[in-house]
Amino acid sequence: MTNDNPPIEYQLTIIQQPELSMVISSSQRDRRCIEPCPVIQVQMIRLDRTEVDISDVGEEYVMCAQLYKENGEEPVDTAEISMAVGGDQQGTNFVKMPLKSPLSGTTLSSHNRVKALSDEPVTVFCFPDLRSWIDGRFRLRFALFYLPKGDSPLSRPTSFMASVMSEKLTIYTQKEFPGVYESTPLSKKLNKQGILIPIRNRNRLRNNDEESSANVEIEYSDQEQDA
């Protein structure tokens, strides 16, 4: 690294835990992201125990999200889903389709320097666009990687630096999905600072009513609508 006193310790803290989502369906409307948006704070500590901001190191870091089994010990590397392939007079036919990854959406994130709820500046990695092809109880593992400087990110070797495991979360089937949450205070604050986290501006209790859930207002900009 370019810094004369490089960090020797990377502390990862999940300051907003993921809790639930609904399994991906064939309907684009029902492709719900894992909520609340996972937010991971990164602290880089030097040998003298002082903290350094990632942006001051002069190198690049990325974080990767991976689905793990509920015990937190085994990754869910592959999965199978049932896909409709048409039908006949006896009904729709389904076939098992293998997947390379059970997660969909953006599983890689770069860092952002923002103000947390305490108004203290922090470095975070956010994952507002994670979805799952399979239902069940899982955890998410977030791993931090270092990218040395180079012409092309694809040609640069990566170095694993640290990881952290989330608490247990539930991916529901469409029939079991309990409904959506109001956006958290942290998600709203990060949205106002330019992080593209979808925001629900109306207080709503969880419910299974499709029509009411569809009427929840979503806003990606930093201008919130009145409830």
Side-chain angles (χ1 to χ4, degrees):
M1 295 185 184
T2 58
N3 198 296
D4 292 334
N5 189 9
I8 61 163
E9 183 181 343
Y10 295 80
Q11 296 179 355
L12 308 186
T13 306
I14 302 178
I15 60 176
Q16 182 158 276
Q17 290 280 350
E19 295 181 15
L20 81 168
S21 185
M22 185 174 70
V23 69
I24 294 175
S25 72
S26 57
S27 168
Q28 185 69 31
R29 174 183 172 185
D30 288 336
R31 298 195 173 193
R32 299 187 183 275
C33 298
I34 292 174
E35 299 183 73
C37 165
V39 181
I40 299 87
Q41 179 182 350
V42 179
Q43 294 172 283
M44 303 171 66
I45 311 298
R46 292 191 179 105
L47 185 61
D48 60 7
R49 307 313 297 170
T50 58
E51 185 176 348
V52 58
D53 178 25
I54 252 183
S55 304
D56 297 333
V57 178
E59 304 292 350
E60 295 184 29
Y61 291 84
V62 294
M63 185 170 286
C64 176
Q66 186 178 10
L67 196 67
Y68 265 63
K69 294 182 179 180
E70 186 177 4
N71 59 17
E73 298 175 359
E74 303 172 66
V76 184
D77 291 325
T78 58
E80 283 188 343
I81 58 171
S82 296
M83 296 290 289
V85 292
D88 50 31
Q89 293 181 350
Q90 295 182 352
T92 303
N93 295 321
F94 291 88
V95 296
K96 291 288 186 179
M97 300 288 290
L99 294 172
K100 290 184 178 180
S101 171
L103 287 180
S104 178
T106 307
T107 58
L108 286 175
S109 175
S110 56
H111 70 273
N112 292 276
R113 191 70 172 172
V114 297
K115 288 186 177 180
L117 290 176
S118 63
D119 280 333
E120 292 293 325
V122 294
T123 298
V124 297
F125 290 80
C126 303
F127 291 85
D129 185 36
L130 286 179
R131 304 176 182 90
S132 175
W133 287 101
I134 55 177
D135 61 278
R137 291 276 285 173
F138 304 100
R139 295 179 189 262
L140 285 170
R141 178 179 182 262
F142 300 97
L144 180 69
F145 293 90
Y146 159 68
L147 289 173
K149 285 186 176 179
D151 295 331
S152 170
L154 296 178
S155 64
R156 289 182 259 170
T158 60
S159 298
F160 169 77
M161 309 310 295
S163 68
V164 65
M165 191 73 69
S166 78
E167 295 178 0
K168 297 175 184 178
L169 66 145
T170 303
I171 308 297
Y172 291 93
T173 63
Q174 289 179 279
K175 182 178 292 187
E176 297 170 336
F177 185 62
V180 296
Y181 282 122
E182 179 191 5
S183 297
T184 65
L186 179 59
S187 289
K188 291 179 180 180
K189 184 153 189 173
L190 295 179
N191 175 273
K192 289 182 178 180
Q193 297 175 73
I195 308 299
L196 295 180
I197 299 175
I199 297 301
R200 293 184 173 84
N201 295 317
R202 189 183 301 173
N203 286 328
R204 302 193 67 89
L205 298 175
R206 298 183 183 188
N207 59 76
N208 289 312
D209 182 64
E210 274 187 31
E211 183 176 353
S212 352
S213 295
N215 287 333
V216 175
E217 297 176 8
I218 306 295
E219 183 65 57
Y220 283 85
S221 70
D222 57 0
Q223 299 295 323
E224 292 195 38
Q225 301 177 15
D226 292 334

